PDB file of all heavy atoms in Angstrom:
ATOM      1  N   GLU B  15      68.666  89.272-169.399  1.00  0.00           N
ATOM      2  CA  GLU B  15      68.339  90.464-170.181  1.00  0.00           C
ATOM      3  C   GLU B  15      68.407  91.683-169.295  1.00  0.00           C
ATOM      4  O   GLU B  15      67.974  91.656-168.147  1.00  0.00           O
ATOM      5  CB  GLU B  15      66.930  90.342-170.770  1.00  0.00           C
ATOM      6  CG  GLU B  15      66.599  91.356-171.873  1.00  0.00           C
ATOM      7  CD  GLU B  15      65.341  90.976-172.602  1.00  0.00           C
ATOM      8  OE1 GLU B  15      64.566  90.152-172.075  1.00  0.00           O
ATOM      9  OE2 GLU B  15      65.106  91.513-173.693  1.00  0.00           O
ATOM     10  N   GLY B  16      69.021  92.735-169.815  1.00  0.00           N
ATOM     11  CA  GLY B  16      69.193  93.959-169.074  1.00  0.00           C
ATOM     12  C   GLY B  16      70.541  94.102-168.403  1.00  0.00           C
ATOM     13  O   GLY B  16      70.997  95.213-168.096  1.00  0.00           O
ATOM     14  N   GLU B  17      71.238  92.989-168.220  1.00  0.00           N
ATOM     15  CA  GLU B  17      72.599  93.032-167.632  1.00  0.00           C
ATOM     16  C   GLU B  17      73.639  93.473-168.693  1.00  0.00           C
ATOM     17  O   GLU B  17      73.313  93.435-169.887  1.00  0.00           O
ATOM     18  CB  GLU B  17      72.965  91.681-167.020  1.00  0.00           C
ATOM     19  CG  GLU B  17      72.110  91.256-165.800  1.00  0.00           C
ATOM     20  CD  GLU B  17      72.543  89.956-165.259  1.00  0.00           C
ATOM     21  OE1 GLU B  17      73.145  89.103-166.012  1.00  0.00           O
ATOM     22  OE2 GLU B  17      72.270  89.695-164.095  1.00  0.00           O
ATOM     23  N   ASN B  18      74.794  93.796-168.217  1.00  0.00           N
ATOM     24  CA  ASN B  18      75.883  94.121-169.144  1.00  0.00           C
ATOM     25  C   ASN B  18      76.698  92.882-169.441  1.00  0.00           C
ATOM     26  O   ASN B  18      76.859  91.991-168.600  1.00  0.00           O
ATOM     27  CB  ASN B  18      76.827  95.160-168.519  1.00  0.00           C
ATOM     28  CG  ASN B  18      76.128  96.493-168.350  1.00  0.00           C
ATOM     29  OD1 ASN B  18      75.050  96.770-168.902  1.00  0.00           O
ATOM     30  ND2 ASN B  18      76.681  97.339-167.454  1.00  0.00           N
ATOM     31  N   ALA B  19      77.238  92.809-170.685  1.00  0.00           N
ATOM     32  CA  ALA B  19      78.064  91.682-171.089  1.00  0.00           C
ATOM     33  C   ALA B  19      79.432  92.197-171.453  1.00  0.00           C
ATOM     34  O   ALA B  19      79.560  93.201-172.228  1.00  0.00           O
ATOM     35  CB  ALA B  19      77.453  90.969-172.274  1.00  0.00           C
ATOM     36  N   THR B  20      80.460  91.581-170.917  1.00  0.00           N
ATOM     37  CA  THR B  20      81.849  91.952-171.287  1.00  0.00           C
ATOM     38  C   THR B  20      82.588  90.746-171.847  1.00  0.00           C
ATOM     39  O   THR B  20      82.542  89.696-171.227  1.00  0.00           O
ATOM     40  CB  THR B  20      82.579  92.515-170.053  1.00  0.00           C
ATOM     41  OG1 THR B  20      81.940  93.688-169.532  1.00  0.00           O
ATOM     42  CG2 THR B  20      84.016  92.893-170.417  1.00  0.00           C
ATOM     43  N   MET B  21      83.231  90.940-172.963  1.00  0.00           N
ATOM     44  CA  MET B  21      84.051  89.885-173.500  1.00  0.00           C
ATOM     45  C   MET B  21      85.417  90.473-173.856  1.00  0.00           C
ATOM     46  O   MET B  21      85.524  91.661-174.208  1.00  0.00           O
ATOM     47  CB  MET B  21      83.369  89.186-174.694  1.00  0.00           C
ATOM     48  CG  MET B  21      82.844  90.091-175.748  1.00  0.00           C
ATOM     49  SD  MET B  21      81.484  89.259-176.655  1.00  0.00           S
ATOM     50  CE  MET B  21      80.078  89.756-175.692  1.00  0.00           C
ATOM     51  N   ASN B  22      86.434  89.638-173.801  1.00  0.00           N
ATOM     52  CA  ASN B  22      87.796  90.112-173.984  1.00  0.00           C
ATOM     53  C   ASN B  22      88.478  89.391-175.120  1.00  0.00           C
ATOM     54  O   ASN B  22      88.105  88.280-175.523  1.00  0.00           O
ATOM     55  CB  ASN B  22      88.592  89.857-172.665  1.00  0.00           C
ATOM     56  CG  ASN B  22      87.933  90.470-171.478  1.00  0.00           C
ATOM     57  OD1 ASN B  22      87.862  91.693-171.378  1.00  0.00           O
ATOM     58  ND2 ASN B  22      87.439  89.645-170.572  1.00  0.00           N
ATOM     59  N   CYS B  23      89.476  90.075-175.639  1.00  0.00           N
ATOM     60  CA  CYS B  23      90.245  89.582-176.793  1.00  0.00           C
ATOM     61  C   CYS B  23      91.705  89.837-176.562  1.00  0.00           C
ATOM     62  O   CYS B  23      92.070  90.980-176.243  1.00  0.00           O
ATOM     63  CB  CYS B  23      89.754  90.242-178.083  1.00  0.00           C
ATOM     64  SG  CYS B  23      90.762  89.880-179.551  1.00  0.00           S
ATOM     65  N   SER B  24      92.543  88.833-176.667  1.00  0.00           N
ATOM     66  CA  SER B  24      93.979  89.020-176.571  1.00  0.00           C
ATOM     67  C   SER B  24      94.601  88.616-177.865  1.00  0.00           C
ATOM     68  O   SER B  24      94.113  87.734-178.582  1.00  0.00           O
ATOM     69  CB  SER B  24      94.524  88.209-175.383  1.00  0.00           C
ATOM     70  OG  SER B  24      94.306  86.808-175.601  1.00  0.00           O
ATOM     71  N   TYR B  25      95.727  89.258-178.185  1.00  0.00           N
ATOM     72  CA  TYR B  25      96.409  88.969-179.436  1.00  0.00           C
ATOM     73  C   TYR B  25      97.914  88.955-179.209  1.00  0.00           C
ATOM     74  O   TYR B  25      98.391  89.294-178.134  1.00  0.00           O
ATOM     75  CB  TYR B  25      96.020  89.966-180.532  1.00  0.00           C
ATOM     76  CG  TYR B  25      96.263  91.395-180.211  1.00  0.00           C
ATOM     77  CD1 TYR B  25      97.460  92.032-180.556  1.00  0.00           C
ATOM     78  CD2 TYR B  25      95.318  92.147-179.524  1.00  0.00           C
ATOM     79  CE1 TYR B  25      97.664  93.361-180.263  1.00  0.00           C
ATOM     80  CE2 TYR B  25      95.539  93.481-179.205  1.00  0.00           C
ATOM     81  CZ  TYR B  25      96.698  94.107-179.550  1.00  0.00           C
ATOM     82  OH  TYR B  25      96.940  95.413-179.257  1.00  0.00           O
ATOM     83  N   LYS B  26      98.664  88.593-180.246  1.00  0.00           N
ATOM     84  CA  LYS B  26     100.078  88.274-179.999  1.00  0.00           C
ATOM     85  C   LYS B  26     101.065  89.268-180.634  1.00  0.00           C
ATOM     86  O   LYS B  26     102.133  89.490-180.091  1.00  0.00           O
ATOM     87  CB  LYS B  26     100.378  86.864-180.526  1.00  0.00           C
ATOM     88  CG  LYS B  26      99.573  85.768-179.846  1.00  0.00           C
ATOM     89  CD  LYS B  26      99.813  84.415-180.483  1.00  0.00           C
ATOM     90  CE  LYS B  26      98.912  83.382-179.830  1.00  0.00           C
ATOM     91  NZ  LYS B  26      98.915  82.087-180.559  1.00  0.00           N
ATOM     92  N   THR B  27     100.702  89.829-181.794  1.00  0.00           N
ATOM     93  CA  THR B  27     101.672  90.662-182.494  1.00  0.00           C
ATOM     94  C   THR B  27     101.142  92.070-182.653  1.00  0.00           C
ATOM     95  O   THR B  27     100.004  92.378-182.357  1.00  0.00           O
ATOM     96  CB  THR B  27     101.975  90.062-183.897  1.00  0.00           C
ATOM     97  OG1 THR B  27     100.734  90.098-184.628  1.00  0.00           O
ATOM     98  CG2 THR B  27     102.451  88.631-183.793  1.00  0.00           C
ATOM     99  N   SER B  28     101.951  92.972-183.177  1.00  0.00           N
ATOM    100  CA  SER B  28     101.519  94.380-183.334  1.00  0.00           C
ATOM    101  C   SER B  28     100.460  94.427-184.427  1.00  0.00           C
ATOM    102  O   SER B  28     100.443  93.646-185.340  1.00  0.00           O
ATOM    103  CB  SER B  28     102.732  95.232-183.696  1.00  0.00           C
ATOM    104  OG  SER B  28     103.271  94.832-184.919  1.00  0.00           O
ATOM    105  N   ILE B  29      99.569  95.378-184.256  1.00  0.00           N
ATOM    106  CA  ILE B  29      98.438  95.483-185.172  1.00  0.00           C
ATOM    107  C   ILE B  29      98.216  96.895-185.691  1.00  0.00           C
ATOM    108  O   ILE B  29      98.711  97.850-185.038  1.00  0.00           O
ATOM    109  CB  ILE B  29      97.124  94.987-184.496  1.00  0.00           C
ATOM    110  CG1 ILE B  29      96.776  95.855-183.288  1.00  0.00           C
ATOM    111  CG2 ILE B  29      97.252  93.516-184.087  1.00  0.00           C
ATOM    112  CD1 ILE B  29      95.442  95.591-182.640  1.00  0.00           C
ATOM    113  N   ASN B  30      97.454  97.055-186.783  1.00  0.00           N
ATOM    114  CA  ASN B  30      97.056  98.350-187.254  1.00  0.00           C
ATOM    115  C   ASN B  30      95.699  98.729-186.646  1.00  0.00           C
ATOM    116  O   ASN B  30      95.456  99.892-186.296  1.00  0.00           O
ATOM    117  CB  ASN B  30      96.937  98.383-188.755  1.00  0.00           C
ATOM    118  CG  ASN B  30      98.309  98.250-189.418  1.00  0.00           C
ATOM    119  OD1 ASN B  30      99.277  98.741-188.964  1.00  0.00           O
ATOM    120  ND2 ASN B  30      98.306  97.505-190.538  1.00  0.00           N
ATOM    121  N   ASN B  31      94.840  97.762-186.572  1.00  0.00           N
ATOM    122  CA  ASN B  31      93.512  97.997-185.924  1.00  0.00           C
ATOM    123  C   ASN B  31      92.925  96.692-185.433  1.00  0.00           C
ATOM    124  O   ASN B  31      93.452  95.605-185.802  1.00  0.00           O
ATOM    125  CB  ASN B  31      92.545  98.741-186.886  1.00  0.00           C
ATOM    126  CG  ASN B  31      92.195  97.866-188.075  1.00  0.00           C
ATOM    127  OD1 ASN B  31      91.584  96.818-187.973  1.00  0.00           O
ATOM    128  ND2 ASN B  31      92.518  98.382-189.270  1.00  0.00           N
ATOM    129  N   LEU B  32      91.937  96.810-184.642  1.00  0.00           N
ATOM    130  CA  LEU B  32      91.234  95.641-184.136  1.00  0.00           C
ATOM    131  C   LEU B  32      89.747  95.839-184.391  1.00  0.00           C
ATOM    132  O   LEU B  32      89.237  96.909-184.169  1.00  0.00           O
ATOM    133  CB  LEU B  32      91.496  95.427-182.647  1.00  0.00           C
ATOM    134  CG  LEU B  32      90.945  94.172-181.959  1.00  0.00           C
ATOM    135  CD1 LEU B  32      91.900  93.663-180.856  1.00  0.00           C
ATOM    136  CD2 LEU B  32      89.572  94.352-181.402  1.00  0.00           C
TER     137      LEU B  32
END
Side-chain angles (χ1 to χ4, degrees):
Chain B
E15 194 168 16
E17 294 180 337
N18 295 341
T20 299
M21 51 205 91
N22 304 295
C23 171
S24 60
Y25 57 93
K26 299 172 185 172
T27 63
S28 62
I29 62 173
N30 294 322
N31 65 63
L32 185 146

